[in-house]
Amino acid sequence: MEIIKYPRTYHFPFSPGTTSDDRIKDEYGFLENTEVVITEKLDGQNDEINKLGVYARSRATFTEHPWDRAIWDIQRRIKDKLSIDEHIFGENMYAIHSLHYKALESHYYMFGVRVKDEMLSWDDVCEYAYILDLPTAPVLFRGNSDDIKSLVLDKVKEPSELDAYCTKNGNPMMEGVVVRKVGGFHTDKFSENALKWVRKDNP
């Protein structure tokens, strides 16, 4: 089976948390005046679950990190419900990174499903989450906007839906948000359908 990495999510040009190896999309009008969903970006590890096993971000081989054991437990529970072409993507929240979440209900929060070369619609993601008995990343907004920048900047001022706190200074904060079109799209068109805003690293 060919292993395809989860597509890189480009940053909004007003995202403060970019690094030298991040990619930025200067134009984001494609997310305006169309139905989008804004989900909370969680501070975890991007893990793929499929019928054969669990992959971390590199997708080179199965992950064997100790903090992925809980995700392997999930994989063993749901693998018989998946075909060889179905790939589940989510945030592994087992380990604590720069944010500590006090209201986690799961070690794994789904945010995407790929079938062959197609990223499924958000409604399909939610249906998979229901069938697999897994939560999705918290939804902060669903609808249309003619000013996506203002909407994003308003949302990132809100507290985390999962009660997150900075491990360095104890302040409540959100890691960021991901904005994607509700409909499905080909993996080659990822940067034309989804963007993210990430907070600046705190001292």
Side-chain angles (χ1 to χ4, degrees), residues 37-52:
V37 61
I38 300 179
T39 55
E40 182 174 347
K41 185 186 184 303
L42 302 177
D43 182 31
Q45 174 179 282
N46 181 339
D47 276 357
E48 174 192 334
I49 297 176
N50 61 38
K51 192 173 186 67
L52 301 181

Side-chain angles (χ1 to χ4, degrees), residues 4-162:
I4 302 174
K5 289 184 179 182
Y6 186 80
R8 183 187 293 257
T9 307
Y10 284 45
H11 284 257
F12 282 101
F14 51 89
S15 171
T18 57
T19 61
S20 58
D21 61 347
D22 283 325
R23 296 180 182 176
I24 299 170
K25 188 89 168 179
D26 291 328
E27 196 282 320
Y28 49 88
F30 58 88
L31 294 173
E32 296 179 329
N33 300 307
T34 189
E35 189 176 18
V36 299
V37 61
I38 300 179
T39 55
E40 182 174 347
K41 185 186 184 303
L42 302 177
D43 182 31
Q45 174 179 282
N46 181 339
D47 276 357
E48 174 192 334
I49 297 176
N50 61 38
K51 192 173 186 67
L52 301 181
V54 178
Y55 294 88
R57 186 68 179 89
S58 69
R59 303 295 188 271
T61 186
F62 293 134
T63 179
E64 297 180 354
H65 298 306
W67 53 85
D68 285 313
R69 291 172 184 166
I71 314 306
W72 276 99
D73 289 341
I74 294 172
Q75 190 271 345
R76 284 187 283 270
R77 176 176 65 81
I78 69 174
K79 65 179 181 178
D80 291 338
K81 297 181 180 179
L82 300 175
S83 74
I84 199 69
D85 293 321
E86 295 173 309
H87 306 263
I88 309 300
F89 297 96
E91 208 73 35
N92 175 354
M93 302 300 292
Y94 184 82
I96 296 175
H97 299 276
S98 59
L99 296 184
H100 175 53
Y101 292 84
K102 297 186 177 182
L104 292 176
E105 297 179 351
S106 173
H107 292 309
Y108 192 72
Y109 285 79
M110 285 178 55
F111 53 71
V113 178
R114 176 172 61 79
V115 177
K116 295 185 178 179
D117 293 328
E118 294 293 324
M119 300 301 299
L120 299 190
S121 72
W122 182 252
D123 289 333
D124 286 336
V125 172
C126 293
E127 183 174 352
Y128 271 80
Y130 175 78
I131 292 171
L132 301 176
D133 193 24
L134 291 169
T136 67
V139 175
L140 309 179
F141 172 86
R142 177 171 176 164
N144 296 272
S145 173
D146 59 4
D147 186 356
I148 201 70
K149 179 178 180 178
S150 294
L151 179 59
V152 166
L153 293 179
D154 283 343
K155 289 299 173 185
V156 297
K157 294 175 184 176
E158 299 175 359
S160 165
E161 291 288 310
L162 299 178

